[in-house]
Structures are given as structure tokens and as C-alpha cells.
Amino acid sequence: MQSAAPTPRVHVISLGGTIASSASDGSPVAPEITGAQLVAAVPQLRAVAEVTTEQLAQVGSPSLDIDTVRQVAIRGAAAVADGARGVVITQGTDTLEETAYLLSLLNDTGRPFVATGAMRNPTMAGADGPANLLAAVSAAASDELVDVRALLAFNDELHDPLWVRKSHTASTATFTSAPQAGPMGWLHEGEIRLGYRPATPPWTGSPSLEIPPVALVSAGLGEDLRLVEPLPDLGYAGVVIAGTGGGHVHQDAVDRVTALAQRVPVVIASRTGSGQLLRRTYGFRGGEVDLLSRGLLSAGGLSAPKARLLLGLMLAHDAVADWPY
């Protein structure tokens, strides 16, 4: 008789967020449920994997920071080295797409790191945390996702961190991927189904290095971006500008961003949230052709928040000369 395959082990790292939020007196909720309690509340997990837990933080996701995500990468790698098939990260959704993207740049274990959370906290009818946790653990335990660095699991969909974004303040279907990509897969009747496998990020780094601060500034109607002038003196090592349209700024901002790019690396992205940055279409002052000719770097298809993370990581490795876009 052939023996049954051993049950895979998945390590859950908990950081707080809505999925872990509660209140005993009907007041506004706050993170107070541990990762071990989250796992214990989903008995279906036992059919998928042996689950171990670790609590690294207990905060709302706006209070998470890059150093915490670096620690997630380090602790996740240690769990994989100890035999875990994959790693799940539970946190709030406000910055979930950024955590997933940064982990895709930091995880080189050959096993997936899966980020998830919830939109409805456990005190609400129809709380989505248990289903999202089950989907994330299923993905982390699946052989289908070997060598995928990171992904985001939500609402029974699997998303490539490169393309995913939070698109609604309250909907349980808030996470969507850019139209050119769509979800990379689904959880269907308890099984992982993949539509495509994400490409390996064009540049990756080590979680051991401290990532310097990078400012994120948005352009807009009539915005002359005077606020960027003191940023290097405030300690920022780089700047990302979420430009209008295909990567543009007001003509009165051009001299300021040119001077800024002579002091620190400056990346021009688009505030639209979808599509590739233009490179050779608009030649007006403040257009993408003008800005790129002045030394600004293109974000390519990256959103501004994700370009900020990539720039910071490349600054930490003194590798901005290898900017991939």
C-alpha cells in the first residue's frame, strides 16, 4: 500500500489589520486577535496544511513600515528553511498591495509568500477573513506556485503583486488587477487554478539592507510642485512623482523637478493606476519626453507606490544605475 503524501506546512505571519480587529463593547474596532486565534477559527485549514503562526506586529496597516516587511521576508525565509512549503502574511488592506510587491522583490526562497487580509472585521455579518485565509493557505501549500515569489489572495482570486491594487474603500472585491493582466488565478472548489504565472521581477534585492526613505508626491491641476524643493534636505534619498496622464507635470514644475533630479533620483509615474508610462508621444514642456530628457526615470508600468518601493530598495543596494524601466 502506498503511504499518503505528508501534509505540507504553511507558516502564517500576522501583522494585525481588519482581519484581526474586534471590539467587545460595540465601539470602533482595532487589531487585537492573534494569528493563532485567526487560524484556530478556520477548522477547514487542517485539511489543507499544518499551520504554524508567528506574530510580528499588531497594528492597522497604515502604521506598518518597510522595515516590518523586511522582517517578514527574513522570518518567512527562516520558516521555509525550516521546512515550510509557503508563507502567508495577514495584515490590513490599506497597504496590502505594497507589502505583496515588496515581498516579490525580497523573497528568493523558491516558495510563495501570500499576502491576505479582510474588508469585513470578525464582528460583522459575512466577515471575509476566514475565506481569505483559507485561500491564502491553499495557495501557499500548492505545488502549482513553486518559484512564484509573492502573490495576493483575496475574494477567492490570486493576484500578481505587479498589477494588483486596492480599488474600493469597503467592497470585499476591492482588489483588482490592471486590465492588461487580470487575476493570475483562482481558488475553485478548493483547488488552485492558474491563468498565468507572473514574470520574475526585473530587479530583486536582499532584505538585510535598510531601505532609505523615498518621498511620494502627486501632481495635479495647476500644481507647481514647489513642495519638492526641500525634500533632499529633509532626508529623502529619492522621490517618486505620480504625474498626470502618461507621466506629466505642470510646465511651472519643470525647473523644480529638473533641479531635484540633479540631487536625488526622481521617478515619474502615473496617477491613473493603470497602463504603461508614455515615452515618446508628448513633447510639450512637462510632457514625458521633456521630463525623461531631463534625467527623470520612468516607472514603466509600476504604480507610484510600487515605484517608491523599488527605488528605495535599489538605493539601498546602490543600484539605481540599473533602473529597469
Side-chain angles (χ1 to χ4, degrees):
M1 175 184 286
Q2 187 174 12
S3 60
T7 302
R9 179 161 63 85
V10 171
H11 190 58
V12 174
I13 298 176
S14 299
L15 306 177
T18 296
I19 192 172
S21 291
S22 187
S24 58
D25 57 0
S27 59
V29 299
E32 58 182 39
I33 300 171
T34 68
Q37 291 170 321
L38 289 176
V39 168
V42 189
Q44 296 90 336
L45 291 173
R46 290 194 290 268
V48 177
E50 174 193 349
V51 180
T52 55
T53 63
E54 180 176 357
Q55 196 79 35
L56 274 187
Q58 189 67 297
V59 297
S61 62
S63 292
L64 290 174
D65 54 36
I66 289 172
D67 280 343
T68 301
V69 181
R70 287 175 52 230
Q71 290 304 312
V72 168
I74 292 168
R75 296 303 306 150
V80 171
D82 191 44
R85 176 78 61 84
V87 177
V88 169
I89 301 90
T90 64
Q91 68 160 75
T93 59
D94 284 4
T95 56
L96 191 61
E97 67 196 76
E98 290 162 87
T99 292
Y101 179 69
L102 185 53
L103 288 174
S104 76
L105 303 178
L106 296 176
N107 173 27
D108 65 352
T109 66
R111 297 293 181 178
F113 285 16
V114 188
T116 195
M119 293 299 291
R120 293 176 180 164
N121 70 74
T123 71
M124 300 175 69
D128 56 331
N132 289 340
L133 181 58
L134 179 59
V137 170
S138 299
S142 173
D143 286 332
E144 294 288 327
L145 292 163
V146 172
D147 293 329
V148 171
R149 285 173 164 259
L151 60 148
L152 189 152
F154 219 90
N155 202 35
D156 282 347
E157 293 182 337
L158 308 178
H159 294 273
D160 181 348
L162 177 64
W163 303 118
V164 71
R165 68 184 182 97
K166 186 174 183 178
S167 64
H168 194 282
T169 59
S171 171
T172 56
T174 182
F175 285 101
T176 59
S177 285
Q180 63 264 38
M184 59 177 277
W186 304 264
L187 183 68
H188 179 71
E189 294 186 325
E191 296 183 0
I192 297 297
R193 306 289 190 186
L194 292 184
Y196 67 90
R197 295 175 65 85
T200 300
W203 195 92
T204 57
S206 167
S208 63
L209 297 181
E210 184 175 351
I211 297 175
V214 173
L216 175 56
V217 179
S218 184
L221 180 67
E223 175 56 67
D224 63 12
L225 294 178
R226 70 187 73 180
L227 76 171
V228 305
E229 293 176 332
L231 291 177
D233 298 325
L234 293 173
Y236 288 100
V239 179
V240 173
I241 298 172
T244 58
H248 310 143
V249 300
H250 191 282
Q251 61 184 0
D252 291 347
V254 170
D255 289 342
R256 291 190 175 94
V257 299
T258 301
L260 182 67
Q262 293 170 356
R263 301 182 65 188
V264 297
V266 179
V267 175
I268 182 71
S270 173
R271 68 179 192 177
T272 62
S274 182
Q276 294 282 324
L277 209 72
L278 299 176
R279 298 194 70 92
R280 54 181 181 271
T281 299
Y282 292 105
F284 57 77
R285 179 176 171 83
E288 81 282 351
V289 174
D290 181 36
L291 296 179
L292 295 177
S293 74
R294 295 171 182 270
L296 275 70
L297 303 171
S298 171
L302 283 182
S303 68
K306 293 172 186 175
R308 169 179 169 264
L309 297 173
L310 178 60
L311 179 57
L313 186 60
M314 295 188 75
L315 282 164
H317 287 77
D318 194 23
V320 178
D322 298 324
W323 183 256
Y325 300 106

